[in-house]
Amino acid sequence: RIFLLGIGFFTLCFLMTSLGGQFSAKRLGDSPFTIRTEVMGALESRGVLRRMSDMLEMLMKRMDILARLENSTDFHKGDGARFPLDRFQPPAGLMETIQAIAQNVSDIAIKVDRILRNSLLNGKVMDGRRDQCEVPRDPKYPDCAGKVEWMRARWTSDPCYAFFGVDGTECSFLIYLSEVEWFCPPLPWRNRTAALPSSPPLPRVQAAFRSDMAHLLELIGTGKESLSFMKKRIRHLAQQWLRAARRLEQKLKGQQRDQKHILIHIGFLTEESGDVFSPRVLKGGPLGEMVQWADILAALFLLGHSLRVTVSLKELQSHLGVPPGRGNCPLTSPLPFDLIYTDYHGLQQMKQHMGLSFKKYRCRVRVIDTFGTEPAYNHEEYATLRGYRTNWGYWNLQPTQFMTMFPHTPDNSFMGFVSEELNRTERQFIKSNKVSSMAVVYGKEASIWKGKEKFLAILNKYMEIHGTVYYETQRPPEVPAFVKNHGLLPQHEFQQLLRKAKLFIGFGFPYEGPAPLEAIANGCVFLQARFNPPHSSLNHEFFRGKPTSREVSSQHPYAEDFIGKPHVWTVDYNNSEEFEAAVKTIMRSQVDPYLPYEYTCEGMLERIHAYIQHQDFCATTSSPLPPKAKSPAMQSLPSPLALAPNATHLVWSPSASRDSQAWPPVDSLQVWLSDTRHACTETCRQHGLVCEPTFFRFLNKKEVFLQLSITCDSTEYEMNHLYPAVAENVHECYLQKEPLLFSCAGYNTKYRRLCPCRDFRKGQVALCRDCL
């Protein structure tokens, strides 16, 4: 009997646990398409409740029998009784407790039965509605019918539709297109919870400068040579980064900065993109991209923002909340990141897996783009119609969302990287230990040296030539015998080599890498070839397919234009006499180490801080007035610009209102008219200024032509990356119809362009004087 009592008690516990598990495993509201599942699950639960009630009744009967036996005097007779019940004393309240449980279970069974009847009735009504939906005709949703037609034919093409509850019925299409996507109006019979009054957003956490890089190294992770390279670079420059962060913190004087949640997805390191860089890290492959990514990570981390770093597609999908399938559906929840830094490979991966959410959230993306993307290549329709379509453009982003390694064009944001700074003692040591007859060749791959025997022979007459060409032990290096090849050197040893050398010489490739800046910062003179004609996508294989028509006049245009002599010499390598004369002059010259401020740790921190604080591509901006929208009231608005005192250009009028939130500040604006053979980039540079594309919206008005005394017999709005401009010979003026095509780049001998220019901080071309 004790055994039976125990079995009954443990059966009660088991049934309670089982019932609870069934209820907890089936949560109402997981999906709008789980009604039938819930009903069936609840029917099973009702059966369990009934069985549980029956067993409790049986337990009560057995307990009652035991109680009667206990009161029987005959039961106690005999000393040989094996189970004397005087040893079994059940708790006084046990019977009452079991009776209460039995009553509660009975009540629950009745209530569940009542709920199930209502659920089944509602389920039948719902099923009827699901099978009888009609496509609504609502002018506010003109694409609804077409999307439903597409769903009928293709809803099985991606498992993500079934994930969101699409089952092939007309109603499931409409529910998906109205609640997951937004092409159809909400269905009136859907039980949609009334929108509660939105509570004010919680205050943002304030970003605080960090003083330790250890956590960043953990975030970057392991498993790839590329990641190891970046972590070594961060460790090597850690003290310079930390000193720069302290200086910038003092400069900002407690300025409020919201902490941003930032995803860094390095797409070119994913297996899906081939990851061609990691295997080449130890073989002298191009490291410029990894240098830049390491510095971006360090800067964002030190500025105090919350980071997530991914180098795999699986991690990217997890962080974004991508539904299972092939990427046609939106994300399952709002994007948890304020900013996403990625590259072209990562951008393509995001588009493939985010569905419609990519269009919604692409304003938060920042694309690290080594060579830049000009507006003519970025606008998909325009690029297709005008022949600017390439493998890397046509994303319809704001052009300043692309961030470059060098300030190629102000159409893009200049991200940059850093070079190692020298203290006063190191600078003095370098000056006293330079070997005036020592040259280092720029190029770690043997192919760069091929065909350069003529230059090397001239150079060898005056200087000892050193190389850092990668080679395998079983194969001799493919360089002349008189070259002292050190093989591929670690960064620290390469720096030591540059500190001894007088000359760092380039043979035309690689283009625009970080090494020349490192050499100049270590006291070398950089000698490079002038390209005649300039290299571009029109005449050179390397640039073909890149989304820029920029003409590259030398191996390193930034060094040529922004640094120049005595640190940088650009000569015609086809002229042996000019080349030899340059070498002899460089040997006699005395040059101090030099590093532009914008390539220091502090300069990069300052620049990225300004971008994060002020660049908001998700906010709507005023677009140029299209032809149909022109009205007398709008045409009569006075221009905010005024003629400068010398009458050569326009400036912001002192009487015009200023938007305190505008960035860059409008006070820095100057409007100049270009020559027919100059882009706005060159036009502004001629006046000691920088072209500022965000100011084009102030120029895109007919009144601006009149203020500059330009005669316009006709004025047209068109899509053209050279507009606003004037064809002076026929007195025709043109305004820009598409804001994404505002461009500092490009020229045509037919037009003189209106160019928006601004001032800039000394050594920091990306920022105007009041931009910080």
Side-chain angles (χ1 to χ4, degrees), residues 640-658:
L641 304 174
L643 200 62
N646 59 8
T648 57
H649 62 282
L650 301 179
V651 296
W652 194 264
S653 174
S655 61
S657 61
R658 291 170 175 78

mmCIF file of all heavy atoms in Angstrom, residues 640-658:
data_model
loop_
_atom_site.group_PDB
_atom_site.id
_atom_site.type_symbol
_atom_site.label_atom_id
_atom_site.label_comp_id
_atom_site.label_asym_id
_atom_site.label_seq_id
_atom_site.Cartn_x
_atom_site.Cartn_y
_atom_site.Cartn_z
ATOM 1 N N PRO A 640 20.455 82.801 -50.866
ATOM 2 C CA PRO A 640 21.243 83.029 -49.647
ATOM 3 C C PRO A 640 22.677 83.446 -49.957
ATOM 4 O O PRO A 640 23.463 83.668 -49.042
ATOM 5 C CB PRO A 640 21.194 81.669 -48.951
ATOM 6 C CG PRO A 640 21.076 80.694 -50.076
ATOM 7 C CD PRO A 640 20.242 81.365 -51.121
ATOM 8 N N LEU A 641 23.010 83.541 -51.249
ATOM 9 C CA LEU A 641 24.370 83.872 -51.650
ATOM 10 C C LEU A 641 24.470 85.337 -52.043
ATOM 11 O O LEU A 641 23.483 85.970 -52.432
ATOM 12 C CB LEU A 641 24.809 82.991 -52.822
ATOM 13 C CG LEU A 641 24.708 81.480 -52.589
ATOM 14 C CD1 LEU A 641 25.027 80.721 -53.867
ATOM 15 C CD2 LEU A 641 25.630 81.053 -51.462
ATOM 16 N N ALA A 642 25.674 85.873 -51.958
ATOM 17 C CA ALA A 642 25.918 87.268 -52.327
ATOM 18 C C ALA A 642 27.277 87.355 -53.025
ATOM 19 O O ALA A 642 28.163 86.526 -52.800
ATOM 20 C CB ALA A 642 25.903 88.165 -51.090
ATOM 21 N N LEU A 643 27.412 88.352 -53.863
ATOM 22 C CA LEU A 643 28.668 88.555 -54.586
ATOM 23 C C LEU A 643 29.745 89.013 -53.615
ATOM 24 O O LEU A 643 29.520 89.883 -52.766
ATOM 25 C CB LEU A 643 28.463 89.589 -55.686
ATOM 26 C CG LEU A 643 29.483 89.613 -56.832
ATOM 27 C CD1 LEU A 643 29.466 88.293 -57.598
ATOM 28 C CD2 LEU A 643 29.169 90.778 -57.776
ATOM 29 N N ALA A 644 30.936 88.393 -53.740
ATOM 30 C CA ALA A 644 32.066 88.776 -52.888
ATOM 31 C C ALA A 644 32.498 90.203 -53.212
ATOM 32 O O ALA A 644 32.231 90.716 -54.305
ATOM 33 C CB ALA A 644 33.221 87.802 -53.089
ATOM 34 N N PRO A 645 33.162 90.869 -52.272
ATOM 35 C CA PRO A 645 33.581 92.266 -52.512
ATOM 36 C C PRO A 645 34.399 92.462 -53.784
ATOM 37 O O PRO A 645 34.271 93.489 -54.446
ATOM 38 C CB PRO A 645 34.417 92.587 -51.254
ATOM 39 C CG PRO A 645 33.842 91.704 -50.198
ATOM 40 C CD PRO A 645 33.459 90.440 -50.888
ATOM 41 N N ASN A 646 35.222 91.470 -54.143
ATOM 42 C CA ASN A 646 36.010 91.629 -55.370
ATOM 43 C C ASN A 646 35.272 91.164 -56.616
ATOM 44 O O ASN A 646 35.839 91.142 -57.719
ATOM 45 C CB ASN A 646 37.339 90.879 -55.249
ATOM 46 C CG ASN A 646 37.133 89.390 -54.999
ATOM 47 O OD1 ASN A 646 36.010 88.882 -55.052
ATOM 48 N ND2 ASN A 646 38.229 88.688 -54.739
ATOM 49 N N ALA A 647 33.998 90.748 -56.441
ATOM 50 C CA ALA A 647 33.108 90.389 -57.553
ATOM 51 C C ALA A 647 33.599 89.209 -58.380
ATOM 52 O O ALA A 647 33.226 89.056 -59.533
ATOM 53 C CB ALA A 647 32.880 91.603 -58.460
ATOM 54 N N THR A 648 34.446 88.337 -57.802
ATOM 55 C CA THR A 648 34.954 87.186 -58.548
ATOM 56 C C THR A 648 34.170 85.912 -58.265
ATOM 57 O O THR A 648 34.213 84.963 -59.047
ATOM 58 C CB THR A 648 36.429 86.932 -58.200
ATOM 59 O OG1 THR A 648 36.535 86.740 -56.783
ATOM 60 C CG2 THR A 648 37.299 88.095 -58.640
ATOM 61 N N HIS A 649 33.459 85.870 -57.145
ATOM 62 C CA HIS A 649 32.774 84.648 -56.738
ATOM 63 C C HIS A 649 31.668 85.008 -55.756
ATOM 64 O O HIS A 649 31.497 86.175 -55.388
ATOM 65 C CB HIS A 649 33.763 83.662 -56.100
ATOM 66 C CG HIS A 649 34.411 84.184 -54.859
ATOM 67 N ND1 HIS A 649 35.448 85.094 -54.879
ATOM 68 C CD2 HIS A 649 34.173 83.938 -53.535
ATOM 69 C CE1 HIS A 649 35.825 85.381 -53.647
ATOM 70 N NE2 HIS A 649 35.063 84.693 -52.809
ATOM 71 N N LEU A 650 30.916 84.006 -55.354
ATOM 72 C CA LEU A 650 29.813 84.205 -54.408
ATOM 73 C C LEU A 650 30.182 83.639 -53.043
ATOM 74 O O LEU A 650 30.929 82.662 -52.938
ATOM 75 C CB LEU A 650 28.539 83.516 -54.917
ATOM 76 C CG LEU A 650 27.995 83.965 -56.279
ATOM 77 C CD1 LEU A 650 26.739 83.161 -56.630
ATOM 78 C CD2 LEU A 650 27.694 85.451 -56.286
ATOM 79 N N VAL A 651 29.634 84.252 -52.012
ATOM 80 C CA VAL A 651 29.806 83.773 -50.646
ATOM 81 C C VAL A 651 28.435 83.736 -49.973
ATOM 82 O O VAL A 651 27.452 84.229 -50.526
ATOM 83 C CB VAL A 651 30.768 84.687 -49.843
ATOM 84 C CG1 VAL A 651 32.168 84.651 -50.436
ATOM 85 C CG2 VAL A 651 30.227 86.119 -49.782
ATOM 86 N N TRP A 652 28.369 83.158 -48.782
ATOM 87 C CA TRP A 652 27.106 83.130 -48.034
ATOM 88 C C TRP A 652 26.792 84.533 -47.562
ATOM 89 O O TRP A 652 27.621 85.205 -46.962
ATOM 90 C CB TRP A 652 27.209 82.182 -46.853
ATOM 91 C CG TRP A 652 25.865 81.865 -46.255
ATOM 92 C CD1 TRP A 652 25.280 82.460 -45.188
ATOM 93 C CD2 TRP A 652 24.947 80.878 -46.727
ATOM 94 N NE1 TRP A 652 24.046 81.907 -44.949
ATOM 95 C CE2 TRP A 652 23.807 80.931 -45.875
ATOM 96 C CE3 TRP A 652 24.963 79.958 -47.773
ATOM 97 C CZ2 TRP A 652 22.715 80.092 -46.053
ATOM 98 C CZ3 TRP A 652 23.868 79.128 -47.947
ATOM 99 C CH2 TRP A 652 22.758 79.202 -47.096
ATOM 100 N N SER A 653 25.589 84.987 -47.858
ATOM 101 C CA SER A 653 25.199 86.350 -47.534
ATOM 102 C C SER A 653 25.128 86.560 -46.019
ATOM 103 O O SER A 653 24.558 85.718 -45.300
ATOM 104 C CB SER A 653 23.840 86.665 -48.147
ATOM 105 O OG SER A 653 23.384 87.932 -47.724
ATOM 106 N N PRO A 654 25.685 87.664 -45.507
ATOM 107 C CA PRO A 654 25.601 87.942 -44.061
ATOM 108 C C PRO A 654 24.164 88.057 -43.562
ATOM 109 O O PRO A 654 23.885 87.794 -42.393
ATOM 110 C CB PRO A 654 26.352 89.270 -43.906
ATOM 111 C CG PRO A 654 27.228 89.357 -45.115
ATOM 112 C CD PRO A 654 26.478 88.684 -46.215
ATOM 113 N N SER A 655 23.255 88.443 -44.453
ATOM 114 C CA SER A 655 21.853 88.622 -44.037
ATOM 115 C C SER A 655 21.041 87.337 -44.129
ATOM 116 O O SER A 655 19.909 87.287 -43.658
ATOM 117 C CB SER A 655 21.187 89.695 -44.903
ATOM 118 O OG SER A 655 21.204 89.306 -46.273
ATOM 119 N N ALA A 656 21.600 86.296 -44.741
ATOM 120 C CA ALA A 656 20.855 85.049 -44.918
ATOM 121 C C ALA A 656 20.848 84.253 -43.608
ATOM 122 O O ALA A 656 21.797 84.291 -42.829
ATOM 123 C CB ALA A 656 21.465 84.216 -46.034
ATOM 124 N N SER A 657 19.769 83.534 -43.393
ATOM 125 C CA SER A 657 19.673 82.713 -42.181
ATOM 126 C C SER A 657 20.628 81.534 -42.272
ATOM 127 O O SER A 657 20.966 81.065 -43.351
ATOM 128 C CB SER A 657 18.239 82.217 -41.996
ATOM 129 O OG SER A 657 17.854 81.408 -43.092
ATOM 130 N N ARG A 658 21.053 81.043 -41.100
ATOM 131 C CA ARG A 658 21.975 79.920 -41.032
ATOM 132 C C ARG A 658 21.352 78.779 -40.234
ATOM 133 O O ARG A 658 20.737 79.017 -39.199
ATOM 134 C CB ARG A 658 23.296 80.341 -40.371
ATOM 135 C CG ARG A 658 24.127 81.284 -41.217
ATOM 136 C CD ARG A 658 25.286 81.855 -40.401
ATOM 137 N NE ARG A 658 26.172 82.673 -41.194
ATOM 138 C CZ ARG A 658 25.912 83.924 -41.547
ATOM 139 N NH1 ARG A 658 24.766 84.481 -41.171
ATOM 140 N NH2 ARG A 658 26.765 84.599 -42.289
#
